[in-house]
């Protein structure tokens, strides 16, 4: 075959190969769709045989949505997340560890950890802005939880919470009263106070006293009104009798009879 024909054949073959490769890439892009775009600062990895997704120091203000659903360990620490909404992690059925420490979390909605009850064994909520959280937010959760270094309000609600969850070993001393109905409790470890104080019983007594004071106040108001009403009627009756005395005798007797009937 002449050299010119061989060159032409080679060019045609290369052209066909390039065209086929372009069509193949186009087909793959249409079928598979675009690659998942993770939030800036987030990346998947594998640690000790576990699939890990790290978003530490990523300046996040909410829980990312595109977390791979086969993730075993999720790090969302050192961000700016302010609260955990309902079903925040429902698409992560294989999650074993969840680190939410060093955020700005001040609220945890009931149902925020739904879907994690069976597998999750470690949850870190330390160094946030939690003041008061309902025990229902951790319903059926079997994980060990770190609640230390938060500005807790020490009351019955916190007592119910710490009795519901299993605390991480060594973290209980970090649950300190930032505020309390009893000033002497501020700055003290909550679990130590619980050894001598039943905060729920204290709350019940306070509520009972408040109800008693309220009832006494209403009772005093009613008595005061009755006394005022009786005195006012007595004063009106006295004035009317004095008026009757100043009338002629015949008219006075008729008016007195009417007054007596009215008073009776």
């Amino acid at each position: 075959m002449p050299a010119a024909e061989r060159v032409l054949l080679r060019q045609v073959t290369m052209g066909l190969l390039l065209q086929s490769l372009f069509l193949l890439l186009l087909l793959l892009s249409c079928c598979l769709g675009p690659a998942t775009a993770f939030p800036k600062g987030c990346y998947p990895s594998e640690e000790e045989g576990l699939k890990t997704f790290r978003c530490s120091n990523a300046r996040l203000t909410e829980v990312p949505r595109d977390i791979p659903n086969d993730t075993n360990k999720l790090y969302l620490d050192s961000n700016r997340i302010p609260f955990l909404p309902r079903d925040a992690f429902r698409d992560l059925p294989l999650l074993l560890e969840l680190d939410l420490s060093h955020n700005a979390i001040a609220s945890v909605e009931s149902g925020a950890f739904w879907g994690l009850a069976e597998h999750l064994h470690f949850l870190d909520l330390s160094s946030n802005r939690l003041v008061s959280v309902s025990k229902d937010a951790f319903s059926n959760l079997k994980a060990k939880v770190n609640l230390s270094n938060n500005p807790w309000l020490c009351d019955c609600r916190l007592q119910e919470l710490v009795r519901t969850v299993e605390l991480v070993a060594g973290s209980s001393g970090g649950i300190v009263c930032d505020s309390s109905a009893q000033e002497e409790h501020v700055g003290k470890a909550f679990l130590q106070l619980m050894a001598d104080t039943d905060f729920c019983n204290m709350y019940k007594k306070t509520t009972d006293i408040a109800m008693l004071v309220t009832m006494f106040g209403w009772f005093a108001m009613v008595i005061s009104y009755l006394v005022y009403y009786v005195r006012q009627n007595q004063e009106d009756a006295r004035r009317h009798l004095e008026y009757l005395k100043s009338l002629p005798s015949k008219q006075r007797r008729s008016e007195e009879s009417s007054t007596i009937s009215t008073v009776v």
Side-chain angles (χ1 to χ4, degrees), residues 82-96:
F83 76 102
L84 300 179
R86 184 187 183 97
D87 294 326
F89 307 98
R90 66 177 179 180
D91 296 325
L92 302 172
L94 303 180
L95 197 61
L96 301 174

Side-chain angles (χ1 to χ4, degrees), residues 125-136:
L125 283 167
S126 63
S127 301
N128 276 283
R129 298 178 184 175
L130 296 172
V131 175
S132 182
V133 179
S134 171
K135 64 178 182 178
D136 296 335

Side-chain angles (χ1 to χ4, degrees), residues 194-211:
M194 280 180 56
D196 302 316
T197 306
D198 186 341
F199 284 82
C200 291
N201 189 46
M202 180 189 301
Y203 173 77
K204 185 177 183 302
K205 287 182 178 179
T206 303
T207 304
D208 290 344
I209 292 172
M211 290 180 63

